[in-house]
Amino acid sequence: MRKGHAFLIVWSLLGLVLAACTTENEPVPDWTWQQDINFDWRFSPGDPAGALAMDFDDRDWERVDLPHDWAIRGPFGPPESDGNTGKLPWKGEGTYRKVFSLPARADGKRLQFLFDGVMANPTVYLNGTEVGSWRYGYNSFWIDATDAARFGSENVLVVHADTRDHQSRWYPGAGIYRKVGFRLVDPLHIPVWGLTATTPEVGEEEALVHARVELAHGGDRPKSAHLTLRVMDPEGREVARDEQDVTLKPGESQIRDLDFRIAGPQRWDVDHPHLYALEATLSSENIPLQVESVPFGIRTFSWTANDGFHLNGRRVQLQGVNLHHDQGPLGAAFYPRAMERQLEIMKEMGVNALRTSHNACAPEVLDLCDRMGILVFNELFDKYGPTASVDCSMGEFVDTYAEAEVRNFVRRDRNHPSVVIWSIGNEIAELLTDSDGRAAEHVAHMVSYFKTYDPTRPTTMGCHIPSVSEGGKHILDALETTGWNYARRYVSTRKAYPDMPLIYSESASAFGTRGAYKLPLASDKEDFGTDGELTAYMLTAATWSDIPEIEFEYMRIDTFLAGEFVWTGFDYLGEPTPVIPMEEVPWGKFVTTPEGYGARSSYFGIVDLAGLPKDSYYNYRSLWKKDEHTLHLTPHWNWAGHEGQPVPVCLYTDGDEAELFLNGRSLGRKRKSDPDRAATSRAMRSSFDYVVGAGTDPNPYYEAVDAYRLRWMDVPYEAGELKAVVYKDGQSIGSTAVRTAGDPARLALTPDRSRLRADGFDLCYVTVDMVDGEGVLCPLAMDTLRFEVEGPVVFLGVANGDQMGHDIFTDATHPLFYGKAVVVLRSKPGSRGSATLHVRSVSGMEATAELQVGDGG
């Protein structure tokens, strides 16, 4: 096969994990994606000579399980090195080898390998023969390797990854960082991602489900089969069925379209994500040849220019976040449980929407969003060309390479009800400035690619240059919506395209380091300090954007917007902004300490790299999570040496008033300001270049702040208890307190679950807290810890949220950061029983956490 994209198609595993190729007397389950191929690989850096040979001796190579990111184990570059891509050694080559057997009885089947993502430029070999390749490290692809297969004997699969030509603005990872599968199918089969379901008509009494089945025949003689289609409701009951006979000639492809009427449809919604399934069975003489099943949802949605986003006939404000693809201490290695944990944390904050910034995510991300009721702004590219590992011009990329990537991306994701929009790219400056004079043509081509494979959803892109909409330009004409990043830049497009729906695709870019409360307070939003820790009071932001409260005002006033996607839900590796403006470098530089030390991960997250919430988490929760009260008082109350001196105190709550008590004494009652009276509101209605009046406070944002959080600026510190009693509409809704911690007394370990599945993919996150004798967190503890595990688990890594930290994530030692750290454990495939995590501090404290590994999680 020549290199290229001619017949590389994307697939989704769809959860069909069954045992295949077992004993010689059992039938081969042809339709099954086999996943145990992810274990027991061999890995070597570089491109070792002779590695393609069947008899190559790889016993000295490292044994690894997939997913695998070769760069996350470091080491980090020098502290003074550039942290743009995480200071980790992701640039280079790596080679993977896997030996496996194919049963003789499978001869005559088609052998297909499926890769969720390889970073980057992978070339795949089977038994020494090149069987396929791909370019874009974030996209999924599949390869038919039948001609190189050896049935009835051992086979050697080799994958070579090369990141040297990949360009990135953040940490991309390296290697086979997502799972791999393979399947054996009959020559007459449903191709990968050849089954789709749409719902063109949805009513209260009935919904029309349109099913499309693609058929392909790779045999050498005509063949007939029986096709059965079934629709299963959310409870697993059959609600519709149709059957047909099919006959295909060698090399022929067919498409079968069928319609089903579903009575009393249960709609997919953010509040009740009901999922149906479309199941297709190909059989011959009553023997199944292949079974495929795809989940889908019955729902309606619309993007409007004047009233935001509508789902199933009602307006839904998008309360969204952007998430990069890395998983903190796991690097780019994708585990479904890691993503599930991220989404659970976001849902608890009130999130109902996700932007997959800025690349094709792992397929399980969308499975999770389907199940959890999260709307998806599904984005394929950041830039055109270099970040897709293609060294070419924008025009060449759009004309020559882009369609193959769009095809894979859309075919893989189009059945997901959570996906409500496609994004053709993010902040493509060459496109928005029309650098080659063909920008409108490029946008139209990209939109047409998406429409070819899915005409049911609109397209958008993340924009950041307002002049694209000025002066009668037509660059955005082909888009149905536009996304805009920061600073109310959507205003110009609102004027130029009054009928175009608008999305605030990136908001905030506010900075914070969990637990790092800095005094005095920041004097303005760009007062970043000099130690690399950005104040946990959440009062600083990027030069191009704002703290959350200013963005809350935009959302309150500009009701035509569909909603916002905060940059970002979690900290991520790389892009350790903020930037400090410099005359000689207009865009600034990454923040460093006076000694020249720089960070290796971002400060943008509402949650830190370990998955621990910053205070802004509760700010968003107080506004977004309507069904529960939020009561969160900050900062910590350990300020030895500041006795009698003022300490600013903030309360994040959905309440409108609170009374503060220090050791039982009232310090007064505060009430949130009425945002309708804010001077900012008038300015914001007419311009995005407003400045909030500073008043008597040192920070110019306080006028907006006081509408969304309560603050006491001059609480005189004394050890003990600081307590807030909170009211809403005059009624108490509860109280919250912070207490002075005594001397560290013990380590407290809190696993996020007590039982793991023995599938080799399941994870447990264990939070480690240093506490005093009464269990109060010691908020300044930075002790170094050592970790050991026993039983059927693997120690994957540890993180603490310190953006300046250069301790290796995968080492068995790691410091606490402001009292906390998080350990990640992985189950061993097929191993069951009790597992133990042992944690010891340098001061001699010890603690253990127990969990069980077995069937079911």
Side-chain angles (χ1 to χ4, degrees):
M1 166 187 163
R2 65 178 178 86
K3 292 186 177 180
H5 305 357
F7 56 90
L8 300 182
I9 309 175
V10 187
W11 85 104
S12 170
L13 298 183
L14 303 174
L16 300 177
V17 187
L18 304 174
C21 304
T22 51
T23 68
E24 196 65 29
N25 294 323
E26 293 177 353
V28 179
D30 301 323
W31 58 86
T32 303
W33 291 129
Q34 172 73 352
Q35 289 195 56
D36 62 11
I37 196 175
N38 288 282
F39 306 111
D40 197 24
W41 287 66
R42 295 296 185 269
F43 169 75
S44 174
D47 187 10
L52 299 182
M54 293 288 291
D55 58 355
F56 180 81
D57 186 357
D58 61 13
R59 287 176 296 178
D60 292 336
W61 287 21
E62 180 185 4
R63 181 196 174 279
V64 300
D65 293 332
L66 305 184
H68 177 250
D69 177 355
W70 80 56
I72 192 59
R73 57 192 172 184
F76 286 106
E80 66 274 13
S81 61
D82 177 18
N84 190 41
T85 52
K87 300 189 180 185
L88 289 164
W90 63 276
K91 282 273 191 180
E93 298 177 86
T95 304
Y96 296 81
R97 297 182 90 249
K98 170 68 178 178
V99 179
F100 66 103
S101 296
L102 291 172
R105 68 186 182 283
D107 195 5
K109 306 294 184 182
R110 306 298 303 183
L111 172 64
Q112 297 170 344
F113 290 99
L114 307 104
F115 295 84
D116 282 355
V118 181
M119 188 64 68
N121 292 293
T123 305
V124 182
Y125 306 86
L126 183 64
N127 300 324
T129 299
E130 181 179 337
V131 291
S133 63
W134 199 252
R135 289 182 181 272
Y136 192 30
Y138 292 101
N139 216 346
S140 303
F141 63 97
W142 74 268
I143 290 171
D144 189 305
T146 308
D147 292 345
R150 298 183 178 185
F151 295 96
S153 65
E154 284 191 340
N155 291 256
V156 178
L157 179 64
V158 177
V159 180
H160 176 256
D162 186 349
T163 61
R164 292 174 296 174
D165 291 335
H166 185 84
Q167 304 299 315
S168 184
R169 297 188 293 140
W170 50 81
Y171 177 71
I176 310 179
Y177 69 103
R178 295 176 185 164
K179 69 181 184 304
V180 177
F182 77 90
R183 69 176 187 176
L184 294 162
V185 293
D186 193 85
L188 174 57
H189 61 277
I190 300 169
V192 176
W193 274 53
L195 180 63
T196 58
T198 57
T199 55
E201 298 175 15
V202 178
E204 294 300 322
E205 304 298 325
E206 186 179 71
L208 174 65
V209 175
H210 178 73
R212 169 164 287 190
V213 186
E214 300 173 18
L215 300 170
H217 185 26
D220 56 7
R221 64 187 65 182
K223 186 164 185 178
S224 299
H226 189 70
L227 172 65
T228 302
L229 281 177
R230 301 195 303 160
V231 177
M232 315 300 287
D233 73 7
E235 287 72 42
R237 299 171 300 208
E238 181 182 303
V239 292
R241 171 192 284 257
D242 200 346
E243 302 184 35
Q244 313 183 346
D245 291 323
V246 297
T247 301
L248 275 74
K249 301 174 183 177
E252 183 183 5
S253 297
Q254 289 185 12
I255 293 177
R256 296 297 177 100
D257 292 298
L258 299 93
D259 288 332
F260 300 95
R261 296 282 176 179
I262 307 299
Q266 301 179 58
R267 298 201 187 196
W268 186 94
D269 202 289
V270 292
D271 298 325
H272 42 78
H274 298 305
L275 288 172
Y276 286 75
L278 175 64
E279 181 185 281
T281 302
L282 276 176
S283 58
S284 177
E285 298 180 353
N286 294 321
I287 298 175
L289 301 176
Q290 184 179 1
V291 176
E292 294 289 338
S293 179
V294 295
F296 70 95
I298 297 175
R299 48 93 174 102
T300 63
F301 68 87
S302 61
W303 299 86
T304 76
N306 297 312
D307 195 36
F309 176 77
H310 287 237
L311 179 65
N312 294 319
R314 78 186 195 288
R315 190 186 193 283
V316 173
Q317 180 75 4
L318 299 182
Q319 298 170 175
V321 293
N322 288 268
L323 290 178
H324 264 303
H325 81 134
D326 79 73
Q327 289 290 336
L330 309 183
F334 182 85
Y335 297 87
R337 172 56 195 160
M339 191 67 208
E340 182 181 49
R341 174 179 178 257
Q342 280 197 335
L343 293 177
E344 287 171 350
I345 292 170
M346 293 290 94
K347 283 275 288 185
E348 176 57 27
M349 188 179 78
V351 163
N352 64 12
L354 168 69
R355 181 183 180 213
T356 61
S357 51
H358 298 293
N359 313 100
C361 62
E364 294 92 342
V365 174
L366 302 180
D367 293 335
L368 289 165
C369 289
D370 287 347
R371 179 168 57 83
M372 299 172 74
I374 298 174
L375 299 160
V376 178
F377 179 123
N378 207 11
E379 190 159 74
L380 178 55
F381 295 117
D382 178 44
K383 302 291 187 283
Y384 291 171
T387 58
S389 297
V390 181
D391 185 13
C392 64
S393 68
M394 176 177 62
E396 184 181 357
F397 178 80
V398 172
D399 295 340
T400 306
Y401 299 103
E403 184 176 8
E405 303 291 353
V406 173
R407 181 185 68 236
N408 281 18
F409 178 63
V410 175
R411 284 176 60 84
R412 191 193 73 173
D413 293 352
R414 61 189 173 185
N415 283 312
H416 293 280
S418 57
V419 176
V420 291
I421 198 164
W422 304 113
S423 174
I424 69 172
N426 173 68
E427 293 189 357
I428 304 168
E430 297 86 352
L431 193 66
L432 298 176
T433 58
D434 198 10
S435 63
D436 66 356
R438 297 177 56 207
E441 178 185 343
H442 297 326
V443 172
H445 280 166
M446 293 297 293
V447 169
S448 71
Y449 299 154
F450 278 85
K451 293 299 184 184
T452 296
Y453 301 103
D454 177 33
T456 71
R457 293 175 178 87
T459 55
T460 191
M461 69 182 299
C463 301
H464 69 304
I465 301 176
S467 61
V468 71
S469 300
E470 299 169 357
K473 298 175 183 176
H474 296 279
I475 295 172
L476 306 180
D477 286 4
L479 296 171
E480 293 101 329
T481 74
T482 53
W484 280 94
N485 299 348
Y486 307 116
R488 212 167 177 244
R489 292 168 175 159
Y490 48 80
V491 170
S492 60
T493 299
R494 176 73 171 164
K495 296 175 182 177
Y497 296 88
D499 297 323
M500 179 179 284
L502 298 174
I503 309 165
Y504 207 17
S505 44
E506 290 180 28
S507 68
S509 276
F511 299 136
T513 298
R514 177 195 54 79
Y517 298 95
K518 301 295 184 177
L519 295 179
L521 290 182
S523 60
D524 58 58
K525 74 170 185 177
E526 295 177 43
D527 182 3
F528 302 135
T530 60
D531 63 359
E533 295 181 2
L534 279 293
T535 177
Y537 281 104
M538 307 306 296
L539 292 171
T540 58
T543 56
W544 57 82
S545 192
D546 288 301
I547 61 173
E549 285 89 348
I550 301 299
E551 308 289 24
F552 294 163
E553 282 289 275
Y554 292 153
M555 293 302 102
R556 184 180 68 84
I557 294 167
D558 295 332
T559 56
F560 55 84
L561 284 175
E564 67 179 312
F565 291 85
V566 181
W567 192 268
T568 52
F570 276 64
D571 281 344
Y572 55 94
L573 292 167
E575 278 198 320
T577 321
V579 293
I580 300 173
M582 300 169 58
E583 184 175 340
E584 65 274 21
V585 184
W587 58 89
K589 67 175 182 178
F590 292 129
V591 67
T592 58
T593 67
E595 297 77 24
Y597 283 29
R600 44 74 171 148
S601 55
S602 79
Y603 295 83
F604 296 115
I606 300 170
V607 175
D608 74 15
L609 202 67
L612 301 170
K614 305 176 188 178
D615 288 344
S616 57
Y617 182 90
Y618 304 97
N619 203 1
Y620 283 99
R621 189 183 192 277
S622 69
L623 194 64
W624 285 1
K625 196 164 179 62
K626 307 294 187 184
D627 57 342
E628 294 180 17
H629 293 305
T630 298
L631 308 171
H632 183 72
L633 188 65
T634 64
H636 61 72
W637 209 237
N638 276 60
W639 295 89
H642 287 259
E643 286 77 8
Q645 298 178 35
V647 175
V649 172
C650 292
L651 175 66
Y652 302 93
T653 179
D654 61 310
D656 49 40
E657 193 174 6
E659 186 171 7
L660 192 66
F661 296 87
L662 177 58
N663 292 325
R665 304 188 311 275
S666 176
L667 300 182
R669 197 153 166 163
K670 295 274 188 178
R671 185 175 182 83
K672 290 179 181 176
S673 66
D674 183 352
D676 285 327
R677 294 188 290 106
T680 58
S681 300
R682 292 189 296 275
M684 291 168 69
R685 286 189 172 92
S686 60
S687 170
F688 56 83
D689 284 329
Y690 74 95
V691 175
V692 181
T696 59
D697 285 314
N699 192 301
Y701 288 103
Y702 285 140
E703 189 170 347
V705 164
D706 284 344
Y708 297 98
R709 58 171 126 161
L710 292 163
R711 60 188 179 94
W712 292 259
M713 301 301 289
D714 54 358
V715 178
Y717 175 68
E718 64 179 54
E721 180 187 69
L722 188 68
K723 178 180 178 181
V725 178
V726 188
Y727 300 86
K728 189 170 187 176
D729 299 325
Q731 301 295 316
S732 174
I733 60 172
S735 64
T736 182
V738 290
R739 297 174 180 83
T740 305
D743 293 335
R746 62 185 176 88
L747 296 169
L749 307 188
T750 307
D752 70 337
R753 55 234 300 254
S754 60
R755 189 175 185 86
L756 299 183
R757 295 183 303 275
D759 60 5
F761 290 98
D762 209 0
L763 305 179
C764 178
Y765 287 79
V766 183
T767 301
V768 183
D769 293 325
M770 181 73 79
V771 299
D772 69 6
E774 296 183 0
V776 178
L777 177 72
C778 298
L780 304 177
M782 305 285 193
D783 303 52
T784 296
L785 307 177
R786 176 170 290 277
F787 309 96
E788 296 178 6
V789 295
E790 295 178 358
V793 295
V794 176
F795 175 85
L796 275 190
V798 57
N800 60 21
D802 180 9
Q803 294 99 339
M804 296 289 289
H806 289 70
D807 301 274
I808 302 301
F809 296 122
T810 55
D811 281 356
T813 60
H814 210 81
L816 292 167
F817 187 63
Y818 289 111
K820 288 178 171 286
V822 176
V823 179
V824 191
L825 307 177
R826 174 184 182 173
S827 65
K828 291 182 179 178
S831 298
R832 294 165 174 78
S834 298
T836 305
L837 169 67
H838 299 275
V839 184
R840 298 177 178 84
S841 72
V842 292
S843 60
M845 298 179 194
E846 298 187 17
T848 61
E850 303 284 343
L851 60 151
Q852 295 294 315
V853 180
D855 299 322

